Amino acid sequence: MPETPTPPPHDQLEFFIEQARRVRPIRTLVVHPVDANSLCGALEAAAQGLITPTLVGPEARIRATAEELDLNLDDTEIIDSPHSHAAAEIACDRIRSGSADALMKGGLGTSELLGAVLHKTRGIRTERRLSHVFVFDIPSYPKPLVITDAAINVTPDLDIKRHIVQNAIDFCRGLGIQMPKVAVLAAVEKVKSSMQSTLDAAALCKMADRGQISGGIVDGPLAFDNAISREAADDKHITSPVSGDADILLAPDLEAANMIAKQLVYLANAKSAGLALGARVPIILTSRSDKLLTRLASCALASHQVHQPLTARGDE
């Protein structure tokens, strides 16, 4: 996929969808799509040329849901499975055989799907740690903003944070951002021995200096305000190549990332999409309550990862 131009303000997710329509639809295994939202989302993504779905789950339930919603499944492949756990295992088997480009969560729990993904012998794990990225389109911010990790790693240590950062950098490079800027967040912008998040931030910056993290610019610790506002950084006399221009915000832990993400949606009118990275293929990890735009944009983000050479597949 060619380098992606800068999308217009607050049409960023729609821009990624339009870009993804211009390339081959990605072969996507949709796991247990027995509810209305996941089935409609998969079929709409197919109708818009983003994915070629294969539905994996109890065929009778899938067809009953489709009939109830008046959806046509004539041209859609269905792999019958007795229950959601089996569907996740079958999908991972197909990924390992190379017959699909992406995995999409349907009407099953995230932990159940990731349990199959991370299985030691039948899963699709790699040497890279699995992590999640949210991509936000925020009216008051001039470009897409990635928040990580708000869904998978609860209390990541330094080694896990290195994987999370590298996954996010590779992901952004897949969107056409040549040198993503990473702000490692903490409550303060100074290194304090009593605050582990600041120690981790300092170590991550040195890891980037030594080539243990590559492809991006990493700075921290930075508080949220001086990460996203150049003015706030200037007021505190912080000289940083990242302040006010961050592409990625690395939160100290899942709780912090999750609260930032939900605040952006409910208080800042942000639109969002998300993926899980670090497996053999991108995982479209939407919530059962997500709206259609989120599902379509998440499929588009997966398409960008599939169609560009620097994928977030865990290659070291």
Side-chain angles (χ1 to χ4, degrees):
M1 187 174 289
E3 181 177 348
T4 305
T6 302
H10 213 48
D11 286 320
Q12 293 156 358
L13 298 187
E14 292 86 349
F15 179 84
F16 291 134
I17 293 171
E18 183 57 35
Q19 289 286 305
R21 288 195 186 108
R22 300 180 184 181
V23 295
R24 171 185 63 82
I26 58 174
R27 301 167 300 166
T28 303
L29 294 164
V30 188
V31 183
H32 202 64
V34 296
D35 62 300
N37 281 352
S38 61
L39 185 58
C40 287
L43 295 181
E44 182 59 29
Q48 297 206 24
L50 302 175
I51 68 172
T52 300
T54 296
L55 311 180
V56 188
E59 184 170 359
R61 289 186 62 186
I62 293 172
R63 291 195 180 279
T65 301
E67 183 177 353
E68 182 181 341
L69 300 170
D70 197 24
L71 300 174
N72 187 349
L73 297 179
D74 290 346
D75 298 323
T76 305
E77 180 185 5
I78 301 176
I79 300 175
D80 188 29
S81 69
H83 45 68
S84 58
H85 188 70
E89 290 181 347
I90 291 170
C92 288
D93 289 342
R94 297 272 293 220
I95 294 292
R96 288 200 315 277
S97 72
S99 59
D101 303 308
L103 203 61
M104 185 176 185
K105 176 177 172 287
L108 76 169
T110 297
S111 61
E112 185 176 12
L113 177 61
L114 295 186
V117 168
L118 295 173
H119 192 276
K120 291 183 178 180
T121 57
R122 298 191 61 184
I124 54 173
R125 64 195 302 170
T126 69
E127 294 300 318
R128 190 75 64 79
R129 181 82 176 197
L130 209 67
S131 64
H132 184 270
V133 291
F134 269 126
V135 180
F136 285 95
D137 179 358
I138 308 165
S140 58
Y141 201 70
K143 59 181 180 178
L145 185 63
V146 172
I147 310 292
T148 190
D149 175 352
I152 296 176
N153 295 285
V154 179
T155 54
D157 61 18
L158 178 61
D159 288 335
I160 294 173
K161 286 180 180 179
R162 179 178 71 87
H163 285 261
I164 294 172
V165 170
Q166 192 66 66
N167 283 344
I169 288 173
D170 290 350
F171 169 77
C172 285
R173 287 169 65 86
L175 298 182
I177 304 169
Q178 294 301 309
M179 189 60 67
K181 296 181 177 180
V182 183
V184 185
L185 297 183
V188 296
E189 58 279 347
K190 294 181 179 180
V191 178
K192 293 183 176 292
S193 61
S194 60
M195 298 181 69
Q196 186 62 46
S197 60
T198 69
L199 298 175
D200 288 349
L204 290 168
C205 292
K206 186 52 64 178
M207 285 179 167
D209 291 343
R210 295 288 188 266
Q212 292 173 269
I213 297 170
S214 61
I217 300 170
V218 182
D219 195 21
L222 290 169
F224 183 85
D225 57 347
N226 45 64
I228 55 94
S229 169
R230 176 74 68 181
E231 181 180 0
D234 290 343
D235 289 343
K236 292 186 176 181
H237 307 291
I238 297 170
T239 302
S240 168
V242 173
S243 290
D245 196 33
D247 298 292
I248 300 164
L249 301 182
L250 172 70
D253 54 36
L254 183 145
E255 288 183 311
N258 190 273
M259 285 186 277
I260 293 171
K262 289 180 178 177
Q263 286 167 357
L264 290 174
V265 171
Y266 288 98
L267 295 179
N269 195 31
K271 297 179 287 188
S272 69
L275 288 180
L277 308 170
R280 294 191 187 187
V281 297
I283 302 171
I284 303 163
L285 201 61
T286 53
S287 166
R288 278 170 279 189
S289 62
D290 281 336
K291 304 302 181 185
L292 182 60
L293 175 62
T294 294
R295 294 179 183 275
L296 294 179
S298 298
C299 291
L301 295 175
S303 176
H304 279 267
Q305 302 307 297
V306 170
H307 287 296
Q308 54 87 35
L310 252 177
T311 59
R313 294 186 184 183
D315 300 324
E316 291 288 3

